[in-house]
Amino acid sequence: QTVEAVATTTVNVFYIALRAGLGALAGIAIAFVGIVVLRTLGRRQTIYAEISRYTRNALYALGGLTGAYLGAQLAVVAVATPDWAQYATQAMQTLRICIILAVAWVVVGLVKALEASIVSGVRSSGDPGRANRVTTQAQILRRVAEVIIVICGIVGAIMTFPAARVAMGSLLASAGLISVIAGLA
């Protein structure tokens, strides 16, 4: 009976790992097609070229992680509820956190692409003084946006834990109140 349980568990784990791996490959393939489309569109408009340049690695990571999560989720549903379901739940939690952080990485790449597109457009106008001012302003806005995006990504990852939701909710509410007071001041 013990040997049968071990054999069943091993088959289930390999099944879940296989489905997660196939999902990751499918996600990476979809990301590759998206990047090729962005590069093709980038021949006509620079914003698409910049997006493909700054988000390529992040899109591969996001595609692979999302595919792995969906594949593992489908496999876990197909497998009868095992005694080791808590470990599958922890693995799914880890994948969820990685997906949230990968989305933040993609959004940071989009902000960098937007900044590069704006700066290149202003530099092509020919006024070096204006180009320097816009470059400095765009860099400052990009850095502020990156900080906000990273903080939102970290908060989003922490909020996936049920115990942290209550604490983070009250912390974010107090931070919102402080920011309103600072804005009025």
Side-chain angles (χ1 to χ4, degrees), residues 75-181:
V76 167
V77 169
V79 173
T81 306
D83 296 334
W84 48 272
Q86 64 181 352
Y87 302 115
T89 305
Q90 291 171 353
M92 300 302 276
Q93 175 77 11
T94 303
L95 281 173
R96 252 183 260 128
I97 290 170
C98 290
I99 289 171
I100 290 170
L101 296 177
V103 167
W105 186 15
V106 168
V107 175
V108 166
L110 290 173
V111 169
K112 286 181 182 179
L114 182 64
E115 178 212 2
S117 177
I118 290 170
V119 168
S120 68
V122 171
R123 287 187 191 266
S124 66
S125 69
D127 185 11
R130 182 171 183 266
N132 289 338
R133 282 192 311 274
V134 170
T135 301
T136 302
Q137 291 169 354
Q139 286 175 348
I140 291 170
L141 287 174
R142 175 188 50 86
R143 289 176 183 160
V144 168
E146 283 178 354
V147 167
I148 291 170
I149 292 165
V150 167
I151 289 172
C152 288
I154 291 171
V155 167
I158 291 172
M159 294 285 275
T160 61
F161 296 103
R165 286 185 188 147
V166 175
M168 290 301 290
S170 62
L171 181 67
L172 290 175
S174 64
L177 181 64
I178 291 172
S179 66
V180 167
I181 293 170

Side-chain angles (χ1 to χ4, degrees), residues 14-24 67-68 70-72 74-75 78:
F14 280 132
Y15 178 72
I16 292 171
L18 176 68
R19 294 293 281 248
L22 290 175
L70 293 175
L74 292 173

